[in-house]
Amino acid sequence: LLVSLQMAARQRGSKVVVCTDGLANVGLGCVDDASDAGAAAANKFYARIGEMAADKGVTIDVIGIEGEGCDVETLSLAVEPSGGEITKVKPAEVTRDMAAMMAAAPVATQVSATLFLHAALRFRNVAEDDVSMSGNRLMRAVGNVTAGSEITFEYGAMPAAERRAAGFGRIDHMPFQCQIHYTRLDGSKYVRVISQSKPVTSD
């Protein structure tokens, strides 16, 4: 995996597809060691792989064979930061799923999205890697994205008593803004800002 990543890193927007029928049990990234030290070493290795992939604009996808041992939790440390996916398939479907993964070409790398909410709203169920800048401002590192990539944020209103204490009266519209920072495949960096105001209903 490390060698493939280094090769793919020569061209931003490249993809590494790992097809595995079990656990990595020897060498770097071995996850067959049940000790705490072994698990920590594996987690550190795959997390570093994920950081390198995101930095170099490389997507890592993993295809696991159904019915075989595949440590999805550990492998996700490398896959998720890169914007990739982990898929478990039947042996007869490997070729089809690999072809589908290769067809989903990245359109941007090093993507992050920062969402700004109205001050009367608060984020909830925040992901572990999200960066909370305030109760109503949140940044998420996405990594590499394809034309079909989607992310979601979850939020809710402050309790009525807190809204009154903060001086909020009747609210008819809620403003939202999303700032998307990304790097195109040619290395140029951009920021896209999307602002909208949505009406509020009591229904």
Side-chain angles (χ1 to χ4, degrees), residues 3-201:
V3 172
S4 298
L5 174 58
Q6 294 290 355
M7 294 172 63
R10 299 173 184 172
Q11 177 61 53
R12 184 174 294 277
S14 297
K15 183 188 293 281
V16 173
V17 179
V18 179
C19 187
T20 177
D21 62 352
L23 298 174
N25 51 21
V26 294
L28 289 172
C30 173
V31 295
D32 207 20
D33 185 345
S35 68
D36 291 342
N43 287 342
K44 183 177 180 180
F45 172 78
Y46 287 105
R48 179 58 181 148
I49 289 290
E51 292 172 1
M52 292 172 60
D55 180 61
K56 299 298 184 181
V58 177
T59 302
I60 299 175
D61 289 329
V62 173
I63 298 178
I65 306 300
E66 284 188 358
E68 301 293 339
C70 181
D71 191 342
V72 172
E73 184 176 352
T74 301
L75 291 176
S76 68
L77 297 174
V79 174
E80 290 182 359
S82 75
E85 297 180 349
I86 297 178
T87 306
K88 282 200 170 185
V89 301
K90 297 177 181 178
E93 299 173 350
V94 171
T95 302
R96 183 195 67 187
D97 284 81
M98 183 173 289
M101 285 183 171
M102 297 304 295
V107 295
T109 67
Q110 296 179 324
V111 179
S112 68
T114 303
L115 185 63
F116 297 78
L117 303 176
H118 185 280
L121 300 177
R122 290 291 182 268
F123 288 100
R124 61 188 184 193
N125 296 331
V126 176
E128 182 177 344
D129 294 335
D130 288 346
V131 178
S132 179
M133 300 175 177
S134 66
N136 63 327
R137 182 182 174 196
L138 190 72
M139 190 276 286
R140 178 175 300 169
V142 183
N144 305 318
V145 299
T146 67
S149 296
E150 295 182 356
I151 64 170
T152 59
F153 294 90
E154 187 174 342
Y155 57 87
M158 294 169 58
E162 291 185 23
R163 293 200 303 273
R164 288 193 296 270
F168 294 113
R170 178 180 174 82
I171 301 174
D172 296 320
H173 286 76
M174 288 283 190
F176 297 85
Q177 184 178 97
C178 185
Q179 298 179 0
I180 305 170
H181 296 250
Y182 62 97
T183 302
R184 294 181 59 174
L185 301 187
D186 62 4
S188 55
K189 297 181 182 294
Y190 292 82
V191 179
R192 182 179 181 185
V193 180
I194 303 172
S195 300
Q196 291 189 8
S197 181
K198 295 295 185 180
V200 175
T201 177

